[in-house]
Amino acid sequence: MKGGPKIPRRALDGVLLLDKPLGLSSNDALIKAKRIYLAKKAGHTGTLDPLATGLLPLCFGEATKFSQDLLEADKTYEATMRLGIRTTTGDAEGEAIDTRDVTCDEAAVVKALGKFKGEITQVPPMYSALKRDGKPLYEYARAGQTVEREGRQVTILALEMIACALPLVTFRVTCSKGTYVRTLAEDIGEILGCGAHLTALRRTGVGALTLENAITLDELQALSEAERDQRLQPVDALLSTFPAVKLDDEATKRFLHGQRLRLADVVSTRLEEGRVRVYAQQGDRLLGVAKAGEGVLAPERLIVTAQ
């Protein structure tokens, strides 16, 4: 028996700032949003644990070409840890494996937080998706096995206490990619001599994007199609930290054909080496991303719909 008519998918370009709910995986959240929009193409910008809530930027259409840029971006979280109890997973999902008295005070907590600012070494948790011999670490952990993990350098750009009602401590952290906030909470607990685990985690920022304009799936579902489309940020919302370069009509045509351009011909001011976002002078249309260096502007990723 044949099903009903196939619902046509829409070609959408843009970025949705989703406020992901508790208990939903990033991929499931993406599938739900893609279905609501009836979008042809969509992707996320890095996973957020099911037990975490908050900002999950979703990319549609041409924006998916630039999702990697947000994977590299710094992240900001608000987290709550429970001192005195360590768990198998480092968070509230695991079983308690160690219980100790909490004898520290608020001043000791503030002092401990200060020791984790800057570049630190973290040993990735066993309950993580990092792979060893082609198998995620969490599969070893579920089988009761522990494998050797090398410490990795990460950077804690900012770390401050928001609230302290011992044994609960809430803090805000801005960190480099690859930082495990669960591990950070555990390490803070060890410095305090009582252990700790994470009880809540909310992501509030990814690069220059924040929760301020984010929307939940339920709120999105309640909107009309036109209202949903208005919630999409432009593609270049992912690229706001890159310097901007504008090209005249002739340079635009050459750029869109993948040709390298002499910087001296297209930029009147000095430009630092690195990646830039490129626009057409006519209409301020985003053309793509390029790398500036060695006197040339080299196209990296182009927007197909730009004409």
Side-chain angles (χ1 to χ4, degrees):
M1 183 177 176
K2 292 183 179 180
K6 194 171 182 179
I7 300 174
R9 293 281 172 172
R10 306 168 64 214
L12 292 169
D13 299 318
V15 181
L16 177 70
L17 302 184
L18 182 70
D19 186 347
K20 189 189 82 65
L22 186 70
L24 198 66
S25 73
S26 296
N27 201 51
D28 285 343
L30 171 67
I31 291 170
K32 287 177 181 291
K34 186 178 179 183
R35 188 179 297 132
I36 290 171
Y37 273 101
L38 295 175
K40 282 185 178 179
K41 185 177 182 182
H44 58 64
T45 55
T47 58
L48 191 57
D49 284 350
L51 288 181
T53 67
L55 186 60
L56 181 67
L58 301 179
C59 299
F60 293 89
E62 290 296 291
T64 58
K65 293 180 177 179
F66 308 105
S67 59
Q68 182 67 32
D69 299 307
L70 277 200
L71 286 174
E72 306 293 324
D74 299 330
K75 315 290 192 303
T76 299
Y77 299 90
E78 289 184 2
T80 299
M81 61 182 175
R82 205 283 191 190
L83 301 181
I85 300 175
R86 290 175 55 239
T87 70
T88 51
T89 58
D91 59 25
E93 194 174 37
E95 297 177 4
I97 54 174
D98 182 25
T99 302
R100 286 180 256 173
D101 291 335
V102 178
T103 58
C104 61
D105 58 13
E106 184 174 327
V109 173
V110 172
K111 185 177 179 181
L113 293 179
K115 295 180 179 180
F116 289 89
K117 293 178 183 177
E119 194 171 272
I120 65 171
T121 300
Q122 275 195 340
V123 176
M126 281 299 301
Y127 280 89
S128 66
L130 289 178
K131 292 188 176 179
R132 169 68 61 87
D133 298 329
K135 193 161 73 170
L137 289 180
Y138 62 75
E139 289 192 12
Y140 293 99
R142 287 170 181 168
Q145 302 173 17
T146 300
V147 300
E148 197 71 28
R149 289 101 66 208
E150 288 187 8
R152 304 193 307 177
Q153 295 295 115
V154 297
T155 303
I156 306 299
L157 298 159
L159 179 59
E160 61 177 333
M161 188 171 70
I162 299 173
C164 184
L166 295 174
L168 297 178
V169 176
T170 300
F171 59 89
R172 182 182 296 109
V173 58
T174 299
C175 50
S176 63
K177 70 163 187 171
T179 302
Y180 287 94
V181 184
R182 278 181 292 148
T183 301
L184 178 62
E186 288 183 306
D187 291 345
I188 293 169
E190 288 308 306
I191 287 284
L192 290 168
C194 57
H197 70 278
L198 210 62
T199 60
L201 183 64
R202 183 163 176 78
R203 188 158 69 186
T204 60
V206 178
L209 303 177
T210 68
L211 260 179
E212 188 179 352
N213 296 312
I215 188 171
T216 67
L217 286 169
D218 287 343
E219 290 169 339
L220 194 66
Q221 183 75 65
L223 298 179
S224 67
E225 182 178 287
E227 288 171 329
R228 286 183 203 130
D229 290 354
Q230 288 176 355
R231 295 307 300 249
L232 290 179
Q233 307 283 320
V235 173
D236 58 0
L238 300 176
L239 310 171
S240 61
T241 58
F242 295 171
V245 171
K246 289 190 175 183
L247 304 180
D248 62 25
D249 290 349
E250 181 57 35
T252 292
K253 290 177 185 176
R254 293 174 57 200
F255 183 83
L256 289 176
H257 280 95
Q259 296 179 25
R260 291 153 63 96
L261 308 174
R262 284 184 66 235
L263 277 175
D265 293 341
V266 297
V267 181
S268 57
T269 57
R270 189 175 183 276
L271 192 66
E272 295 289 334
E273 289 195 4
R275 304 178 71 207
V276 298
R277 49 195 163 116
V278 182
Y279 296 85
Q281 194 95 43
Q282 186 81 19
D284 286 338
R285 290 177 294 113
L286 178 68
L287 305 176
V289 167
K291 188 171 183 179
E294 299 180 354
V296 298
L297 190 69
E300 275 193 347
R301 299 192 194 103
L302 303 179
I303 298 290
V304 172
T305 52
Q307 298 296 328

